[in-house]
Amino acid sequence: MTRYADIPKPIRSGIVLVDPERGTPQRIIVLQFNPDTLERSLSPQSAGGSGDSAGGGSGNGDRNEALRLKGPAQETWKFTAEIDATDQFEIAAPDGIHPQLAVLEMLVQPTSAQLREASRLSKKGTIEISPIEMPLTLFTWGSKRVMPVRLTELSINESAFDVDLNPIRASLSIGLKVLTVSDLPLGHPGAELYYAHLAQKERLAGAARTAGLGSLGLRPGDITVGRG
């Protein structure tokens, strides 16, 4: 028994590929190191169109729609992931980090078999060839953040190589768009996972402490307004 046995094992962030029809996991990609920072952006889907412009109330939006939303916010994530074969000397790496990079690259392109099948159908004169459906991609950041996503950016900076020119160290800039119920068909497993993701946000928001108006230097009468 080691003296560090009671230290909790760190949870890794990662990507899960899910069968879009059955909703069962097909592959789990664990990031070697958790990113140091995350950049997140949420853009509300306002129902009022362009709304007020920067001119002070001269916008073209419908005033009756100013406080309405037509759907969930568009949420994007960006982060930098690191892969380093030299950090895992106990694991043989005859191909360097080629396998890890290839797994991520295959998230943004179909397989050779899928492309051959599409080419075969085209040569047979098939009028309409459906776009190739990829596995549903989930990004996980602990148990409180599990969301369906689409990879929108993958930039790879390889910074070290072995004697056979296999990359052994790389930095990856990854961009993700969270897929909402506005992006997915009704009943799609990804839509249900988005509902769960949103419900988790609601539970966390409900756990946040509330403050009184006094902490803002206000009294109840200061924000009470009538509707004439």
Side-chain angles (χ1 to χ4, degrees):
M1 181 175 180
T2 66
R3 57 186 294 190
Y4 302 110
D6 58 339
I7 297 178
K9 185 177 180 180
I11 295 175
R12 297 296 182 194
S13 58
I15 295 171
V16 181
L17 302 184
V18 177
D19 186 307
E21 294 184 0
R22 300 180 179 85
T24 54
Q26 291 181 320
R27 185 160 198 169
I28 299 173
I29 304 170
V30 179
L31 298 183
Q32 184 179 359
F33 308 107
N34 286 332
D36 292 330
T37 61
L38 296 173
E39 179 184 344
R40 301 172 53 230
S41 174
L42 285 87
S43 301
Q45 299 301 298
S46 303
S50 59
D52 289 338
S53 67
S58 58
N60 299 319
D62 185 344
R63 295 182 181 181
N64 294 323
E65 303 292 330
L67 300 181
R68 297 182 184 276
L69 298 174
K70 57 184 179 182
Q74 297 296 306
E75 183 176 356
T76 60
W77 289 54
K78 289 185 179 181
F79 58 89
T80 299
E82 306 286 342
I83 303 178
D84 191 345
T86 63
D87 191 67
Q88 297 176 305
F89 285 117
E90 71 281 4
I91 301 176
D95 300 316
I97 59 172
H98 270 309
Q100 295 94 319
L101 295 178
V103 167
L104 292 170
E105 291 175 48
M106 289 308 299
L107 295 178
V108 294
Q109 53 191 0
T111 65
S112 58
Q114 290 171 322
L115 291 174
R116 289 182 185 278
E117 177 63 13
S119 178
R120 185 185 67 81
L121 293 174
S122 178
K123 289 180 180 178
K124 286 180 59 178
T126 303
I127 297 176
E128 182 178 355
I129 300 176
S130 300
I132 297 170
E133 184 172 10
M134 301 294 287
L136 172 64
T137 304
L138 305 181
F139 179 64
T140 71
W141 186 270
S143 62
K144 296 180 179 63
R145 287 174 169 172
V146 179
M147 64 211 83
V149 298
R150 180 173 65 239
L151 196 66
T152 58
E153 176 187 341
L154 178 59
S155 177
I156 303 171
N157 181 13
E158 300 176 2
S159 57
F161 304 86
D162 63 16
V163 294
D164 295 318
L165 292 185
N166 294 311
I168 58 175
R169 185 183 305 122
S171 174
L172 300 90
S173 296
I174 297 176
L176 304 170
K177 177 188 182 298
V178 178
L179 298 178
T180 72
V181 291
S182 299
D183 302 309
L184 298 163
L186 186 66
H188 192 281
E192 296 302 319
L193 287 164
Y194 176 76
Y195 279 127
H197 170 59
L198 189 58
Q200 180 68 273
K201 285 181 181 286
E202 294 167 2
R203 285 192 291 270
L204 292 172
R209 293 183 179 180
T210 58
L213 289 174
S215 61
L216 303 175
L218 300 174
R219 296 170 298 179
D222 292 334
I223 60 171
T224 300
V225 294
R227 300 186 65 175

